[in-house]
Amino acid sequence: MDMPSNEEVIDFVHKNFGQESSKNLKNINKGGNNNQKGRDYENQFLLYKTFEIANKYSHSCANQVVESQVIGFVDDICHIDYEVSTKYNFQAKNSSGDAAKWTDEISSRFRKQRSIDTNIFKVDTTENCLLVSSEKHASENQEKIPTDLKNNDT
């Protein structure tokens, strides 16, 4: 038996519960799809980083930590390389819209994350990355990184 189409469900909701309910349902569905798209993007990058690290440290990964959704200001993916005392943080944005643009807020979050990493994680270096799927935004973002962040953040 086939699943009803989204439009069939939306039409039903519109007819039975009204326009506001159908609009709300569309927004719920859009949010869920966007969240899934973002999770897929993060998970793909997490796998990429894990394989990259495993290849680089094929002798032993004992001093490597890779996690997702670590509490912090740059929280999507983190890799701690204790062999070189560096923590790499990634904020993933699978968007071609404003979410993928470098902002003062991103700069502030990266600075705060660096302080957390130095004082709590006890690493010597932090590298933060606004990971975007839009090549256009990636290129534009490089030009917007403040001078004090350019050496360690991308």
Side-chain angles (χ1 to χ4, degrees):
M1 188 166 180
D2 292 333
M3 293 284 291
S5 72
N6 287 356
E7 287 306 313
E8 288 175 301
V9 175
I10 291 167
D11 287 344
F12 172 84
V13 168
H14 185 82
K15 289 176 188 166
N16 289 279
F17 305 115
Q19 183 176 353
E20 270 311 301
S21 291
S22 67
K23 183 178 175 182
N24 187 30
L25 183 63
K26 287 179 189 177
N27 288 337
I28 291 169
N29 183 255
K30 182 179 178 181
N33 288 339
N34 287 343
N35 286 341
Q36 182 63 46
K37 184 175 100 169
R39 274 191 306 275
D40 289 348
Y41 184 63
E42 289 173 26
N43 288 338
Q44 287 173 353
F45 187 74
L46 181 63
L47 280 172
Y48 165 79
K49 285 306 291 180
T50 302
F51 289 131
E52 179 184 63
I53 293 161
N55 184 53
K56 182 176 180 180
Y57 296 102
S58 58
H59 58 281
S60 172
C61 289
N63 292 323
Q64 307 300 312
V65 176
V66 180
E67 293 193 18
S68 62
Q69 299 307 311
V70 175
I71 189 163
F73 291 99
V74 188
D75 65 346
D76 288 336
I77 298 160
C78 104
H79 165 218
I80 305 172
D81 184 339
Y82 284 111
E83 288 192 25
V84 295
S85 190
T86 300
K87 185 168 180 269
Y88 305 91
N89 303 298
F90 299 89
Q91 193 67 43
K93 301 292 183 186
N94 188 10
S95 169
S96 58
D98 288 346
K101 292 181 179 178
W102 192 285
T103 63
D104 289 342
E105 174 66 17
I106 292 293
S107 297
S108 175
R109 289 173 60 177
F110 280 19
R111 289 181 186 107
K112 290 174 185 172
Q113 188 62 52
R114 185 162 282 108
S115 179
I116 291 170
D117 294 347
T118 301
N119 293 290
I120 303 296
F121 288 90
K122 306 294 184 197
V123 294
D124 295 332
T125 306
T126 297
E127 294 186 17
N128 296 303
C129 178
L130 176 59
L131 179 67
V132 298
S133 58
S134 165
E135 288 183 34
K136 176 182 177 246
H137 285 311
S139 178
E140 291 172 354
N141 287 343
Q142 282 301 121
E143 302 302 317
K144 295 178 183 177
I145 300 172
T147 305
D148 68 304
L149 299 178
K150 280 199 182 281
N151 288 337
N152 293 87
D153 299 333
T154 58

